[in-house]
């Protein structure tokens, strides 16, 4: 445990602005120089004026002729060096400050650390800190902030322990930085525990009234996926602002709880009539609409954005493009993109991933090339998007060329996400040995994403040998992920290796792991409905069941054959068929047929991969009922119309 100390009762006036006190100069500097007369011009005001005008070089020339630079002059020069991104001038200024005896001034030390952080020179920032003899809380905070923003979270926590050992009390800003440090690098369990310790200290000292501290706590728990903890903190907050509401909504939206995110947004609109949601809030709301394929609610949010005049905020416009694409309205997303006066790489990424999600790999490639042609440099996420698009469309050779171009043409070294895309690309195309070779030749640790891509591909093509190799590593890397065990059991079942199926199921039981239940959502008349199984209470469940039985019988006469192999139990065929009719997406389809008008598209979202039988069943339904059905599973969109799916049975 860390040794914590009670914070000072007085609060600083601002983040990095301690009271300006003149530095203690060396005794020699107190002796008046007789060569300097009282008529020596004071250049401090002129230097500051030149800095504000952006003429930093002229300001430096004048600085060399100023015998007594003030603290304020040095502060303005420091800020100007950071603004003009000049490390060489910053280092020259630092030397000048040291020569004039200001290098131990805590106020200027905080400014120097922040300057070096802004110039991406953390080594210089650390040196400033190390050479400072009297470190106030402002000096510590400045370094905590610099290191946290750069992703050195564990270093911050180590320094924080040191600060507590010497007995320096934290202030309210210290807590925000050390909480952010817990999630600045990898979200490890050990760092979550540190975050909980800091949370306990905050409560012990009655600091829960500071809204920015509690909002940071919400965000920390959200990033670790601890939704219940984040919700508890949020509910207990005595005061909330728009940032607090936004943080909790983002927590729900990014952790698989879009229903809760939309409900919280409604609650916010009722409770906070005086403070309107900002663009960050609306991004989370759009993400929730996208996750549920809630098109009608998404359109209402879009209208609100237009009324508020937020339609020029780039992150928000990118979220709109994604929302429409994930709701099946790719053309609307394209139209928004076309009307954008200014586009950044995030906007391009949104459009590329949108086409990839719908299986239009070649179109995604064209957009990527157009982006390059317009002088927009791709980001690592760009390549994740375009490689994913190639994977869904089976564009293996194109994907391989793109992967090779990352480092050679764009100076981007492949990360674990990019390798996972390549393994998925090759695996889906049944080039599993080639995918395994890529893993063997990786220069970085493959990690769970890469092995998960290989295991998923083995499930598609029933490759037992490679599945066992991938699952062995996954059981070590993700011992509590039930999905990996289920996938392996699926593969054994398809290979009719029933003893191995029982063995894997036994592992699930002994480790108290539960399979993620298949869930499907459908929007009807701006209201969302969720389906898990036939056992769930629903006023129309009997009508849904009878419709499914009737449709299945009639479709069998037209050639539909239930894919009973997806039922991983050694049962007779009739019992397997009964189980298949209870799949959540079939229930959602039947509900849509009952409750939508003629010509109205049925839109469904599924939290898992669409099984082979549901895919075949929905193709028949679309032709049999002359209905357009859009289903988005965890991987991509399936556009069913007239008995054909847009994926070409490649998913």
């Amino acid at each position: 445990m860390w040794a914590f100390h009670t914070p000072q009762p007085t609060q600083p006036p601002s983040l990095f602005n301690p009271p300006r006190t003149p530095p203690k100069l060396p005794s020699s500097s107190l002796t008046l120089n007789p060569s300097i007369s009282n008529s020596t011009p004071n250049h401090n005001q002129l230097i500051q004026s030149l800095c504000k005008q952006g003429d930093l070089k002229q300001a430096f020339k004048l600085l060399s002729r100023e015998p007594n630079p003030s603290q304020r002059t040095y502060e303005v020069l420091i800020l100007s060096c950071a603004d003009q991104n000049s490390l060489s001038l910053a280092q020259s200024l630092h030397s000048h400050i040291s020569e004039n005896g200001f290098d131990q001034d805590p106020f200027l030390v905080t400014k120097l650390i922040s300057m070096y952080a802004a110039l991406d020179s953390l080594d210089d920032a650390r040196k400033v800190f190390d050479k400072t003899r009297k470190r106030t809380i402002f000096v510590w905070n400045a370094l905590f902030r610099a290191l946290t923003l750069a992703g050195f979270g564990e270093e911050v926590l180590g320094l924080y322990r040191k600060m507590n050992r010497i007995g320096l009390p934290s202030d309210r800003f210290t807590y925000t930085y050390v909480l952010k440090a817990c999630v600045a690098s990898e979200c490890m369990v050990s760092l979550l525990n540190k975050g909980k310790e800091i949370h306990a200290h905050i409560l012990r000292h009655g600091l829960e009234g500071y809204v920015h501290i509690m909002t940071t706590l919400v965000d920390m728990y959200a990033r670790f996926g601890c939704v219940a903890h984040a919700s508890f903190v949020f509910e207990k907050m005595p005061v909330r602002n728009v940032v607090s509401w936004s943080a909790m909504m983002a927590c729900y939206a990014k952790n698989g709880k879009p229903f809760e995110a939309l409900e919280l947004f409604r609650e916010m609109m009722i409770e906070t009539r005086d403070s309107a949601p900002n663009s960050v809030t609306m991004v989370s709301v759009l993400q929730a609409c996208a996750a549920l394929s809630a098109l009608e609610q998404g359109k209402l949010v879009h209208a609100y954005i237009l009324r508020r005049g937020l339609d020029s905020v780039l992150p928000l416009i990118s979220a709109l493009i994604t929302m429409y694409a994930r709701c099946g309205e790719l053309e609307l997303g394209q139209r928004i993109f076309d009307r954008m006066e200014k586009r950044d790489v995030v906007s391009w990424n949104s459009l590329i991933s949108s086409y990839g999600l719908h299986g239009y790999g070649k179109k995604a490639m064209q957009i990527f090339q157009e982006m390059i042609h317009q002088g927009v440099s791709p980001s690592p996420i760009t390549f994740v998007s375009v490689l994913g698009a190639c994977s869904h469309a089976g564009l293996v050779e194109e994907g391989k060329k793109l992967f090779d171009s990352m480092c050679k043409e764009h100076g981007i070294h492949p990360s674990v996400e990019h390798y996972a895309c390549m393994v998925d690309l090759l695996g889906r195309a049944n080039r599993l040995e080639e995918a395994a070779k890529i893993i063997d030749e990786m220069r970085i640790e493959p990690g769970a994403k890469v092995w998960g891509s290989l295991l998923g591909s083995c499930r598609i093509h029933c490759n037992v040998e490679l599945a066992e190799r991938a699952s062995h590593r996954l059981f070590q890397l993700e011992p509590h992920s039930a999905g990996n065990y289920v996938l392996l059991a699926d593969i054994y079942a398809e290979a009719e290796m029933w003893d191995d199926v029982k063995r894997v199921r036994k592992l699930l039981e002994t480790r108290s792991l539960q399979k993620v239940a298949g869930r499907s959502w459908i929007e009807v008349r701006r209201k969302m409905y969720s389906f898990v199984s036939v056992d769930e209470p629903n006023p129309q469940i009997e009508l849904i069941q009878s419709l499914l039985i009737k449709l299945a019988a009639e479709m069998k006469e037209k050639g539909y054959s239930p894919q009973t192999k997806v039922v991983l139990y050694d049962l007779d065929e009739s019992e397997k068929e009964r189980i298949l009719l209870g799949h959540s997406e079939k229930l959602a389809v039947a509900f849509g047929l009952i409750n939508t008008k003629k010509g109205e598209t049925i839109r469904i979202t599924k939290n898992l991969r669409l099984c082979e039988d549901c895919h075949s069943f929905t193709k028949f339904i679309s032709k049999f009922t002359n209905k357009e059905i859009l289903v988005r599973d965890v991987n991509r969109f399936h556009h069913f119309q007239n008995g054909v799916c847009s994926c070409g049975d490649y998913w």
Side-chain angles (χ1 to χ4, degrees):
M1 288 288 289
W2 299 341
F4 290 108
H5 298 273
T6 307
Q8 295 169 321
T10 57
Q11 299 301 329
S14 63
L15 194 56
F16 290 130
N17 286 295
R20 297 171 185 264
T21 53
K24 292 184 179 179
L25 300 176
S27 57
S28 59
S29 67
L30 297 175
T31 305
L32 291 174
N33 189 338
S35 64
I36 301 175
S37 67
N38 291 334
S39 62
T40 302
N42 187 313
H43 299 300
N44 282 294
Q45 289 295 330
L46 186 53
I47 292 168
Q48 293 170 31
S49 179
L50 287 167
C51 287
K52 290 173 183 176
Q53 293 169 20
D55 195 350
L56 190 56
K57 289 185 179 178
Q58 191 61 37
F60 264 80
K61 286 181 183 178
L62 206 56
L63 179 66
S64 64
R65 301 204 300 270
E66 171 54 56
N68 297 303
S70 67
Q71 186 192 61
R72 174 60 181 164
T73 295
Y74 279 135
E75 179 194 6
V76 174
L77 283 163
I78 288 169
L79 294 172
S80 296
C81 288
D83 288 342
Q84 296 198 18
N85 200 30
S86 178
L87 180 59
S88 58
L89 286 177
Q91 290 170 333
S92 298
L93 176 62
H94 186 186
S95 298
H96 197 283
I97 289 170
S98 299
E99 289 165 7
N100 278 272
F102 280 80
D103 60 321
Q104 294 301 313
D105 177 1
F107 176 80
L108 289 180
V109 165
T110 63
K111 297 296 179 184
L112 283 168
I113 291 172
S114 299
M115 174 190 71
Y116 280 128
L119 295 170
D120 294 325
S121 184
L122 285 178
D123 285 340
D124 283 316
R126 291 185 183 99
K127 286 174 186 175
V128 172
F129 180 83
D130 292 339
K131 290 179 181 178
T132 304
R133 293 187 293 274
K134 185 183 177 182
R135 298 170 186 156
T136 65
I137 189 61
F138 304 99
V139 174
W140 286 90
N141 284 349
L143 188 64
F144 288 164
R145 179 179 183 273
L147 293 173
T148 298
L149 289 174
F152 294 95
E154 290 184 83
E155 184 179 349
V156 171
L157 295 172
L159 286 166
Y160 183 56
R161 282 192 292 271
K162 182 179 177 182
M163 189 188 90
N164 278 285
R165 280 198 298 270
I166 64 174
L168 182 65
S170 302
D171 71 4
R172 56 195 170 116
F173 296 111
T174 311
Y175 292 119
T176 61
Y177 295 135
V178 293
L179 285 170
K180 288 177 181 178
C182 294
V183 291
S185 46
E186 291 186 36
C187 293
M188 297 183 289
V189 175
S190 59
L191 296 181
L192 172 60
N193 292 333
K194 300 297 183 203
K196 288 179 178 179
E197 288 180 28
I198 297 165
H199 185 183
H201 184 240
I202 290 165
L203 295 177
R204 279 202 302 272
H205 292 94
L207 300 174
E208 60 267 36
Y210 290 107
V211 66
H212 68 279
I213 294 178
M214 304 312 286
T215 300
T216 309
L217 259 175
V218 170
D219 185 61
M220 181 206 73
Y221 282 126
R223 289 176 186 242
F224 279 107
C226 300
V227 180
H229 287 72
S231 179
F232 178 82
V233 172
F234 180 78
E235 292 298 328
K236 294 291 183 182
M237 287 176 72
V239 180
R240 299 170 188 160
N241 59 19
V242 67
V243 182
S244 316
W245 288 92
S246 299
M248 194 62 230
M249 267 180 259
C251 173
Y252 284 137
K254 292 175 182 177
N255 285 285
K257 292 188 177 293
F259 262 123
E260 289 82 350
L262 291 179
E263 198 58 42
L264 192 66
F265 177 61
R266 292 190 191 94
E267 187 182 332
M268 176 189 174
M269 295 298 283
I270 294 168
E271 287 191 19
T272 60
R273 302 197 176 199
D274 296 334
S275 58
N278 59 23
S279 60
V280 177
T281 316
M282 302 315 295
V283 166
S284 295
V285 175
L286 286 171
Q287 287 172 343
C289 292
L292 293 166
S293 294
L295 178 63
E296 294 306 314
Q297 295 192 49
K299 285 180 177 179
L300 290 174
V301 174
H302 188 181
Y304 178 82
I305 289 166
L306 292 172
R307 286 199 305 273
R308 286 283 318 283
L310 297 172
D311 52 321
S312 60
V313 181
L314 281 177
L316 198 50
I317 303 308
S318 299
L320 270 171
I321 293 168
T322 301
M323 185 274 292
Y324 278 119
R326 292 180 74 84
C327 290
E329 292 291 343
L330 190 54
E331 289 183 6
L332 284 176
Q334 177 71 65
R335 201 179 302 168
I336 289 170
F337 180 84
D338 292 339
R339 290 177 179 174
M340 292 178 74
E341 294 180 5
K342 184 182 177 184
R343 299 164 185 156
D344 60 2
V345 69
V346 179
S347 314
W348 287 96
N349 290 349
S350 296
L351 193 65
I352 291 168
S353 62
S354 295
Y355 277 97
L357 184 68
H358 284 262
Y360 299 121
K362 289 185 178 178
K363 178 65 175 177
M365 290 278 292
Q366 287 175 11
I367 296 166
F368 173 77
Q369 295 299 337
E370 185 185 346
M371 182 187 84
I372 301 296
H373 181 70
Q374 292 196 17
V376 179
S377 298
S379 67
I381 293 173
T382 309
F383 283 99
V384 171
S385 299
V386 75
L387 286 171
C390 290
S391 180
H392 293 314
L395 303 175
V396 177
E397 296 307 318
E398 292 87 340
K400 288 172 73 175
K401 286 177 184 176
L402 270 170
F403 185 78
D404 290 338
S405 75
M406 285 181 63
C407 194
K408 291 177 183 176
E409 297 177 23
H410 304 285
I412 297 175
H413 294 281
S415 67
V416 169
E417 285 79 9
H418 300 113
Y419 279 107
C421 287
M422 282 304 295
V423 170
D424 186 66
L425 172 71
L426 294 165
R428 284 178 188 275
N430 203 13
R431 292 164 68 164
L432 288 164
E433 294 300 330
E434 198 175 339
K437 187 180 178 185
I438 280 186
I439 297 174
D440 293 335
E441 294 175 353
M442 282 178 65
R443 295 181 181 178
I444 55 178
E445 182 62 33
K449 288 185 179 179
V450 175
W451 289 113
S453 291
L454 183 62
L455 184 60
S457 298
C458 291
R459 164 70 180 85
I460 295 169
H461 301 292
C462 196
N463 187 311
V464 174
E465 183 183 347
L466 280 177
E468 289 178 333
R469 180 186 168 195
S471 60
H472 175 72
R473 289 294 293 124
L474 284 166
F475 293 165
Q476 295 173 330
L477 293 166
E478 298 180 325
H480 303 296
S481 174
N484 298 324
Y485 296 87
V486 172
L487 272 177
L488 183 60
D490 285 357
I491 295 163
Y492 282 142
E494 191 168 344
E496 297 186 352
M497 299 168 66
W498 299 111
D499 289 341
D500 290 295
V501 172
K502 290 176 184 176
R503 177 176 58 81
V504 175
R505 285 207 185 116
K506 189 70 176 174
L507 279 174
L508 274 168
E509 290 176 14
T510 54
R511 296 178 185 182
S512 301
L513 301 176
Q514 279 194 325
K515 175 185 174 182
V516 177
R519 181 180 288 273
S520 296
W521 294 271
I522 181 171
E523 184 185 35
V524 176
R525 290 186 287 278
R526 293 181 181 173
K527 187 175 179 182
M528 299 303 302
Y529 297 87
S530 171
F531 294 90
V532 178
S533 70
V534 291
D535 297 324
E536 253 196 331
N538 187 295
Q540 293 184 326
I541 195 64
E542 290 185 8
L543 188 59
I544 289 168
Q545 283 180 289
S546 62
L547 176 61
L548 285 172
I549 292 167
K550 179 175 177 287
L551 286 171
E554 291 176 358
M555 289 192 304
K556 279 182 183 178
E557 296 176 5
K558 303 288 184 181
Y560 165 65
S561 177
Q563 303 285 311
T564 55
K565 66 176 183 178
V566 303
V567 180
L568 306 179
Y569 297 94
D570 196 7
L571 303 168
D572 61 54
E573 289 297 300
S574 61
E575 185 61 20
K576 286 184 177 181
E577 287 184 25
R578 189 191 67 80
I579 291 171
L580 287 174
L581 283 180
H583 281 195
S584 66
E585 51 268 55
K586 291 191 182 75
L587 299 175
V589 167
F591 183 83
L593 291 171
I594 294 166
N595 293 283
T596 57
K597 299 173 185 176
K598 185 178 180 181
E600 186 179 349
T601 302
I602 294 174
R603 301 171 195 277
I604 295 167
T605 303
K606 174 77 188 288
N607 66 334
L608 302 173
R609 180 180 182 268
L610 202 61
C611 81
E612 288 86 345
D613 183 66
C614 286
H615 192 267
S616 173
F617 184 88
T618 311
K619 281 201 297 185
F620 269 93
I621 285 282
S622 69
K623 185 174 183 179
F624 198 73
T625 62
N626 193 27
K627 199 81 169 171
E628 185 179 358
I629 304 171
L630 290 177
V631 180
R632 195 189 79 227
D633 70 6
V634 73
N635 292 322
R636 58 163 297 155
F637 249 101
H638 300 267
H639 187 167
F640 298 97
Q641 196 167 24
N642 198 28
V644 178
C645 180
S646 60
C647 76
D649 299 339
Y650 187 88
W651 84 106

